[in-house]
Amino acid sequence: MTTTRTAGSLLALLCALFVTACTASANAPEQSAQATLAQQTSRQQAPTKPLVTATQRLPATPPPPYEVTAPERTRKTAQGFPVNTCVPERLDPQVLSLTTSDGLHLPAIELGSGDRGILLDHESGYYICSWLDTAEKLAAKGYHVMVFEYRGHGAAQKNDGSVTGNFDTDTSAALAELHRRGAKSMLLGGASCGGSSAARLAAKEPQLVGLLILSSPSNCGGDSVAALRKVTRPAFFAVEPDDYSGNMIGEVKKLYQASGAPPADKHLEILPGGTHGTDMLRDPKTKDRLEKLIFDFVDSCFRRA
C-alpha cells in the first residue's frame, strides 16, 4: 500500500514538472515578443538629435589692409572688417570681405543660410545698404541673401580704373562666394547698373531660377540686351516713367523685350513717380506695392525651381 502511494506521488510530481516545463515553453515566444516590443518602444522614446536644416555659416577671414574709397563713410567691425557706416552694428557678425579675380577687396553682408540663394546688386553711386532692408526681409522668409559694395564705392577698395567696366568682375566675386557658402539655386537681382550686371551674369548662371531688375539701362558696363536673349528663366522688371535719371522706361522696355523668358514668365511693372532703382522701395507711393510684387515673384521662382 505504501509502495503504491509512493509510486503515485512520484508520478504526480513528474506530471507537475512536465506541465510547468510545457507552460514555460509555450510562454517563451510571447515573452520574447514583449521584450522586443519594449526595446522598440524604448528606442522610439529615446531623445534624438535634431536634424540640421540650415547651412552652417562659414568663418570669415579678415582681409588684408586696403585703402577704402570713402573713409568718411567707413567704420570697422569688431572683427576688423571695413564696412559702410550705413550698416547697423547688429549686422556686424554677418559682415565679410570678398576678393575679386583682379585682387580687390569688397565688403559684403551674408543674411540667412541654405541653398536658395539671392544676390542683390546696388546702383552706381549708391551703397551696400541700397538693398539691405529688402534683403533682411527676404532672409527672414528663409532665403540665403548676399549684398555687397562695388569697388570705388563706400568701404570697398579704392579703384583707380573704371568702376562700371568692372561691375561684372565684382558681381562674379559675390556670386561665387554665395555659392561657396551653400547656395545652389540662385536668383539674381539688381538696380540701375547693378541690374544691368545681374542680367549679364544671369546668362552664365547654370542654376538660375529668376532675374529681378529695377530701373536698369540696357548697356552699363556691357551689353545686357544680348545677354538677356539667352535668359529663359522668369524675369521681373520695374521702372517709373518720370525717373530722375532720364528715359529709364525706354531702357527697361528694351531689356523686357529682349528677355528670353516665355511671355507668361516675364512681367513689366510701371509704377507712378520719378524715383530711381531701390529708391522705389523707400518711396511711400510705391514701396508697399513693389515690395509685395518682388516677394511674390521670388517665392514663385523658387517654387518652380
Side-chain angles (χ1 to χ4, degrees), residues 77-270:
T77 69
Q79 296 76 25
F81 293 99
V83 69
N84 200 300
T85 54
C86 67
V87 176
E89 291 184 3
R90 61 182 171 78
L91 294 180
D92 283 6
Q94 283 119 292
V95 173
L96 55 100
S97 180
L98 308 173
T99 302
T100 66
S101 60
D102 57 348
L104 268 72
H105 303 291
L106 314 173
I109 303 173
E110 180 189 23
L111 300 161
S113 62
D115 59 4
R116 301 184 301 168
I118 300 176
L119 178 65
L120 299 172
D121 310 341
H122 69 77
E123 305 91 325
S124 178
Y126 285 52
Y127 301 101
I128 195 170
C129 294
S130 176
W131 281 102
L132 190 54
D133 182 61
T134 303
E136 286 196 87
K137 290 176 181 177
L138 287 167
K141 287 168 64 66
Y143 297 109
H144 190 173
V145 190
M146 182 173 287
V147 294
F148 68 100
E149 206 155 57
Y150 282 115
R151 67 182 67 193
H153 292 74
Q157 188 164 354
K158 187 176 181 180
N159 180 50
D160 295 328
S162 167
V163 173
T164 58
N166 288 289
F167 272 157
D168 291 4
T169 302
D170 295 355
T171 303
S172 295
L175 181 60
E177 183 66 11
L178 186 52
H179 272 308
R180 191 179 78 85
R181 289 174 173 268
K184 294 178 182 177
S185 53
M186 191 73 66
L187 186 141
L188 300 182
S192 193
C193 289
S196 306
S197 180
R200 292 189 294 273
L201 269 292
K204 304 175 184 179
E205 172 53 53
Q207 299 187 71
L208 184 75
V209 300
L211 175 65
L212 168 64
I213 286 179
L214 304 183
S215 312
S216 296
S218 60
N219 191 319
C220 182
D223 186 356
S224 298
V225 170
L228 270 171
R229 294 194 180 104
K230 304 173 186 177
V231 179
T232 59
R233 304 300 295 177
F236 176 89
F237 305 83
V239 66
E240 294 186 358
D242 299 321
D243 189 311
Y244 56 71
S245 294
N247 182 29
M248 293 311 302
I249 190 168
E251 290 293 287
V252 172
K253 282 183 176 178
K254 286 181 187 177
L255 298 176
Y256 169 76
Q257 291 163 359
S259 169
D265 289 342
K266 59 182 180 180
H267 178 74
L268 172 61
E269 185 70 20
I270 300 176

